[in-house]
Amino acid sequence: LRTALMRFIVNVAHLNYSLKVEEQENYCMIVHTSGIKTDHDVDRKLVEKYFIEISDTEEPAFEKRWNEISKYAEEEYGPECREEILRYIADNCSKNLIRVINSDADKTTDVVESATNPPVPFTVAIGGNIISRGVTFNNLLSMFFTRSTKTVQQDTYIQRARMFGNRRKYLDHFELHIPKTLYGEWHRAFSYHRLALASIKSGELVWLGDSG
């Protein structure tokens, strides 16, 4: 999760640093690891700690975190962009917002609105069932998705995909951090879904599935 968060921060900086302030955009990262609220608290504390560690020079991990950021920025975007990326992060890392979306009650507050329409450059949405039921996130740049199930319900996975929203011009920078086994399940579900849609053209709808 720290690695995914670090990459998200660097990618936001890369997209924004060369733009005028009024042209810069706010982005969102989803953290979806579990349907259990106590797990969401663990994720939230880790994300909060990371932003503190890159903001407070007195933090023991301050130098380590910035070395990691510097290394990744240079590897991904080259030495010519690294300094600008580091400067942007240093100037803007305090502009972060962490939202935990745990229950239906959150739908009636500004929690969902501020997560799905990020108000600051570094917006992180953490949650379970509400996120997975098809909330659409605008300017979604990164997703840390590790929640799996014993059986794959195609309709559930298809509904979850609504969270990706419309990535438009920043599609090339979007990152999905996901276990290989879960990615395989998701890929298979959508392959069946596309074949089912194609079967409509033949006049006979066929719903495809397997033992999984």
Side-chain angles (χ1 to χ4, degrees):
L1 179 53
R2 287 193 191 92
T3 300
L5 181 61
M6 180 269 291
R7 292 171 68 105
F8 167 68
I9 291 170
V10 170
N11 289 337
V12 170
H14 174 72
L15 287 168
N16 277 340
Y17 81 80
S18 63
L19 302 177
K20 296 178 181 178
V21 174
E22 61 272 19
E23 296 175 343
Q24 295 178 5
E25 295 197 47
N26 303 322
Y27 292 95
C28 180
M29 174 180 178
I30 290 177
V31 178
H32 186 60
T33 60
S34 170
I36 302 172
K37 292 182 180 181
T38 53
D39 291 340
H40 303 162
D41 288 336
V42 173
D43 294 335
R44 175 184 55 79
K45 290 176 182 177
L46 188 150
V47 174
E48 288 177 345
K49 181 66 174 176
Y50 190 90
F51 279 111
I52 291 172
E53 288 174 342
I54 65 173
S55 303
D56 186 353
T57 57
E58 299 300 317
E59 280 289 319
F62 179 82
E63 186 175 351
K64 178 182 179 181
R65 297 289 175 243
W66 276 98
N67 285 338
E68 293 168 345
I69 290 171
S70 178
K71 180 181 179 182
Y72 173 67
E74 183 167 341
E75 289 175 351
E76 189 72 9
Y77 298 112
E80 66 280 359
C81 295
R82 186 194 62 175
E83 291 304 316
E84 294 294 341
I85 289 173
L86 295 180
R87 185 175 295 109
Y88 178 90
I89 296 172
D91 292 342
N92 294 278
C93 62
S94 62
K95 299 175 183 177
N96 68 80
L97 179 68
I98 303 163
R99 289 298 196 204
V100 178
I101 307 172
N102 269 330
S103 65
D104 287 318
D106 290 332
K107 290 182 177 179
T108 62
T109 69
D110 66 347
V111 173
V112 171
E113 173 63 24
S114 60
T116 56
N117 293 296
V120 292
F122 308 113
T123 303
V124 181
I126 302 169
N129 290 333
I130 299 302
I131 284 180
S132 69
R133 285 172 185 161
V135 177
T136 298
F137 290 81
N138 298 308
N139 277 18
L140 178 62
L141 196 62
S142 180
M143 187 171 174
F144 185 82
F145 192 101
T146 62
R147 184 182 179 186
S148 187
T149 56
K150 292 182 179 179
T151 58
V152 177
Q153 298 292 332
Q154 287 186 47
D155 53 348
T156 301
Y157 275 66
I158 293 161
Q159 185 184 41
R160 282 175 176 173
R162 287 163 49 193
M163 67 181 68
F164 289 122
N166 179 6
R167 293 187 294 277
R168 304 188 313 279
K169 60 186 178 182
Y170 61 91
L171 176 60
D172 289 344
H173 292 83
F174 173 78
E175 293 189 346
L176 175 62
H177 297 265
I178 186 170
K180 288 183 179 180
T181 52
L182 181 55
Y183 179 83
E185 292 174 357
W186 209 339
H187 185 276
R188 190 169 67 254
F190 273 88
S191 294
Y192 289 149
H193 178 58
R194 291 190 183 98
L195 289 170
L197 292 177
S199 73
I200 295 175
K201 296 180 180 179
S202 70
E204 294 186 19
L205 175 60
V206 179
W207 184 257
L208 301 169
D210 60 25
S211 60

